[in-house]
Amino acid sequence: MTLRLYVPDDSAARSVGADRVAKALAEEAGKRGAEVEIVRNGSRGMFWLEPLVEVATDRGRIAFGPVKPADAPGLLEAILAGTSHPLALGLTEEISYLKRQQRLTFARIGVIEPLSLSDYQAHDGFQGLAKALAMQPAEIVEEVVASGLRGRGGAGFPTGIKWRTVAGLPSPQKYVVCNADEGDSGTFADRMVMEDDPYMLIEGMTIAGRAVGATKGVIYIRSEYPSAVERMRDAIRLAKAAGHMPDFDLDVRVGAGAYICGEETSLLESVEGKRGVVRAKPPIPAIKGLFGKPSVINNVLSFAAIPWILQHGGKAYADYGMGRSRGTMPLQLAGNLKHGGIFETAFGLTLREVVEDIGGGTISGRSVRAVQVGGPLGAYFPSRLLDTKLDYEAMLAVGGMLGHGGIVVFDDTVDMAAQARFAFAFCAAESCGKCTPCRIGSTRGVETIDKIRLGFERDKNIELVKDLCTVMTDGSLCALGGLTGLPVMSALEHFGEDFGPQPKAVAAE
Ligand SMILES: Cc1cc2nc3c(=O)[nH]c(=O)nc-3n(C[C@H](O)[C@H](O)[C@H](O)COP(=O)(O)O)c2cc1C
Ligand code: SF4
């Protein structure tokens, strides 16, 4: 019987040698004349175990990892002989990191072969679309409203309400736009969806098109994701040819590396072939979006949640989560953490559970000092706030935001004044330049923090930084300038002791 091995074809796994492992396993199988099929699946999202090799057995898949090319001979030998191996991790589904998750969006990821339509269909693929095709467009919208789904790109706006606005506008041309710019530090969930389960995104966008009356869609992908670009283009071609995108066309556009092009109006400018500069709102894109037409713009994860919602019903989705944060969130664990990766769960866990228990604490073995949630514009949490729940409202209540679900951990060696400086510097580098508080304020912020770090008029300059943050928060046109105060002020508030003269380097004698 043919032995089936799974080796991920996901960028994260490939970056640590998955291609070389697949090649080494194929060569070893060839040498032994063993009948081995190597399937390139997606990643299970347990990055510290990548490259994770799985073998199909009667009991389910058994995992081994992290596997190096040099492990291939011994590993194959053990698998063929049915003997134990030091890298064996047992049944994949029983690995506690995976078992503890509630995977709705990521249910297929790491399981299926990304471009196989038959694999997708064998794992519930296109079930949501089939339901949607039997419904009236307005019923689809109301199902999404009932799910309580809120935009997973950062702002958390209710997806169904956005769709209702676009659906209600009479226009011969409307668009569905997917924001796959994924610029936040420590985030990779969009990339995994596109590389590892591309038909899910296509299905979600096709359903959106039917719901709002749009026949055209665009996926805007950052240029740093070449594999996702290629995978999405292939998947669109195959899905279209097989008739899975009725009355709907999709195109992929590639960004050019600007963080601001993740902001929805800049993104639209960029898709239209112009420089990525923020548009003043109103009008909101739902009313006047791509090429001036009503447009639904959603994040990859928002569209990716749609097939499940349509298949199982909005209420079933809303049964997960708490308060006004319904459903599940694919959290992205990164930074100085033992167990980095994807962890999809219903809203409601605390930051401490995620960082200490699920993430296993720091990889350096030192204590956790700060956790940044929500990307480069998110607040820094000190350890005393780690019991905050990871949902939209609870984060807001302590001056933070959940954003796209990125969680970046720092140990006690972090210099928080340097992190505050970085927030200003990041804003200065990425500002579109349209409004003064952001364009000028961010640069003045860098200079003022430098003065504080040199011990120059510390108290006066700290007051100046606070003032600057208030002006940027209140006077910026978009959230890039508007949120830069969040990381800066949280660093000042919780880690004020770092904002002083730096110890001078002592010259060796
Ligand atoms: C500076 C800036 C960068 C942003 N980057 C992204 C991004 O990379 N991906 C994303 O989905 N949303 C991003 N957003 C949020 C979008 O403007 C918008 O809210 C989102 O695409 C709406 O989709 P959603 O409702 O599904 O979240 C960004 C916003 C700002 C202000
Ligand atoms: S806040 Fe910054 S990025 Fe946003 S519109 Fe103003 S200048 Fe552009």
Side-chain angles (χ1 to χ4, degrees):
M1 208 176 77
T2 306
L3 181 73
R4 181 178 290 171
L5 298 178
Y6 294 85
V7 185
D9 186 22
D10 169 279
S11 291
R14 290 172 56 215
S15 71
V16 287
D19 288 344
R20 283 181 284 122
V21 168
K23 187 163 170 270
L25 285 168
E27 280 169 7
E28 287 304 319
K31 278 186 210 160
R32 288 167 174 74
E35 263 186 62
V36 174
E37 181 195 1
I38 297 181
V39 178
R40 302 301 302 270
N41 57 336
S43 167
R44 298 278 190 161
M46 301 181 284
F47 291 158
W48 74 100
L49 294 177
E50 292 291 2
L52 184 86
V53 173
E54 293 174 85
V55 56
T57 74
D58 295 343
R59 291 189 299 133
R61 291 187 200 169
I62 293 178
F64 300 85
V67 177
K68 292 189 290 300
D71 296 321
L75 182 61
L76 198 65
E77 202 62 63
I79 292 172
L80 289 168
T83 54
S84 65
H85 189 276
L87 295 178
L89 300 162
L91 286 169
T92 316
E93 303 287 345
E94 294 296 320
I95 297 174
S96 107
Y97 187 92
L98 207 54
K99 201 174 177 187
R100 294 172 66 180
Q101 298 187 41
Q102 289 161 304
R103 286 193 165 203
L104 308 186
T105 302
F106 275 66
R108 272 180 301 263
I109 287 184
V111 177
I112 60 164
E113 200 181 339
L115 283 177
S116 163
L117 277 165
S118 55
D119 221 359
Y120 183 66
Q121 282 171 292
H123 291 85
D124 283 354
F126 297 120
Q127 297 285 327
L129 179 61
K131 282 253 177 85
L133 291 175
M135 292 161 78
Q136 289 304 314
E139 291 175 322
I140 304 174
V141 172
E142 292 318 309
E143 207 59 57
V144 177
V145 172
S147 74
L149 176 67
R150 291 170 68 180
R152 303 292 191 236
F157 188 82
T159 305
I161 305 296
K162 191 184 280 188
W163 288 23
R164 204 190 263 162
T165 307
V166 179
L169 292 168
S171 174
Q173 183 66 64
K174 299 179 190 177
Y175 294 100
V176 174
V177 182
C178 176
N179 190 339
D181 199 52
E182 195 160 59
D184 281 359
S185 38
T187 63
F188 39 81
D190 295 353
R191 182 190 58 70
M192 288 184 73
V193 165
M194 292 186 286
E195 288 188 17
D196 301 346
D197 197 0
Y199 297 125
M200 175 167 58
L201 177 57
I202 293 172
E203 186 180 349
M205 291 184 73
T206 307
I207 294 171
R210 179 167 170 81
V212 304
T215 53
K216 285 205 168 109
V218 175
I219 308 175
Y220 185 88
I221 308 179
R222 62 186 323 204
S223 58
E224 294 90 336
Y225 284 175
S227 304
V229 170
E230 195 185 325
R231 185 70 42 89
M232 283 314 310
R233 286 193 167 135
D234 287 345
I236 290 167
R237 189 173 37 77
L238 294 168
K240 184 90 200 154
H244 294 298
M245 294 165 59
D247 305 320
F248 194 63
D249 265 330
L250 257 178
D251 204 2
V252 170
R253 296 294 169 91
V254 182
Y259 181 74
I260 196 58
C261 284
E263 192 281 335
E264 56 187 8
T265 62
S266 281
L267 183 151
L268 293 176
E269 291 286 296
S270 179
V271 174
E272 291 179 12
K274 300 178 215 148
R275 196 178 132 202
V277 174
V278 173
R279 293 180 187 170
K281 289 190 266 192
I284 54 170
I287 294 171
K288 206 165 173 231
L290 189 60
F291 300 110
K293 305 292 179 206
S295 306
V296 160
I297 304 185
N298 277 126
N299 173 250
V300 172
L301 295 179
S302 310
F303 284 124
I306 298 295
W308 196 96
I309 291 171
L310 265 291
Q311 184 187 355
H312 301 273
K315 183 174 175 309
Y317 190 76
D319 283 345
Y320 291 88
M322 56 183 280
R324 289 186 52 226
S325 303
R326 313 307 315 183
T328 60
M329 182 76 200
L331 299 169
Q332 295 134 83
L333 278 49
N336 192 338
L337 203 61
K338 254 193 212 124
H339 298 157
I342 278 282
F343 194 91
E344 182 178 352
T345 178
F347 290 96
L349 291 183
T350 66
L351 197 45
R352 190 180 304 286
E353 284 170 288
V354 171
V355 170
E356 293 179 357
D357 188 12
I358 294 160
T362 64
I363 200 162
S364 60
R366 303 180 70 100
S367 58
V368 173
R369 181 152 188 250
V371 181
Q372 190 177 31
V373 183
L377 309 175
Y380 288 99
F381 287 77
S383 49
R384 71 177 174 79
L385 283 182
L386 290 190
D387 292 315
T388 309
K389 286 210 187 300
L390 277 162
D391 74 54
Y392 294 103
E393 273 67 40
M395 285 277 128
L396 210 60
V398 293
M401 64 166 186
L402 183 60
H404 185 46
I407 295 173
V408 180
V409 178
F410 299 82
D411 74 9
D412 58 0
T413 60
V414 66
D415 172 351
M416 293 305 294
Q419 294 304 118
R421 184 189 192 278
F422 171 74
F424 277 132
F426 179 80
C427 181
E430 301 294 339
S431 168
C432 81
K434 185 155 178 165
C435 62
T436 315
C438 167
R439 187 184 66 245
I440 310 278
S442 51
T443 300
R444 293 292 93 88
V446 172
E447 293 164 1
T448 314
I449 298 234
D450 282 345
K451 285 181 191 162
I452 295 169
R453 282 157 64 83
L454 288 168
F456 181 74
E457 296 185 328
R458 179 183 182 273
D459 294 345
K460 200 175 134 196
N461 280 313
I462 284 184
E463 282 314 304
L464 199 57
V465 166
K466 289 182 183 168
D467 249 18
L468 206 51
C469 287
T470 307
V471 171
M472 288 176 71
T473 306
D474 295 345
S476 295
L477 184 60
C478 85
L480 176 53
L483 291 178
T484 296
L486 228 53
V488 175
M489 290 302 294
S490 59
L492 258 175
E493 185 185 343
H494 304 304
F495 307 95
E497 64 276 18
D498 286 14
F499 290 76
Q502 301 302 296
K504 294 206 171 39
V506 179
E509 289 184 14

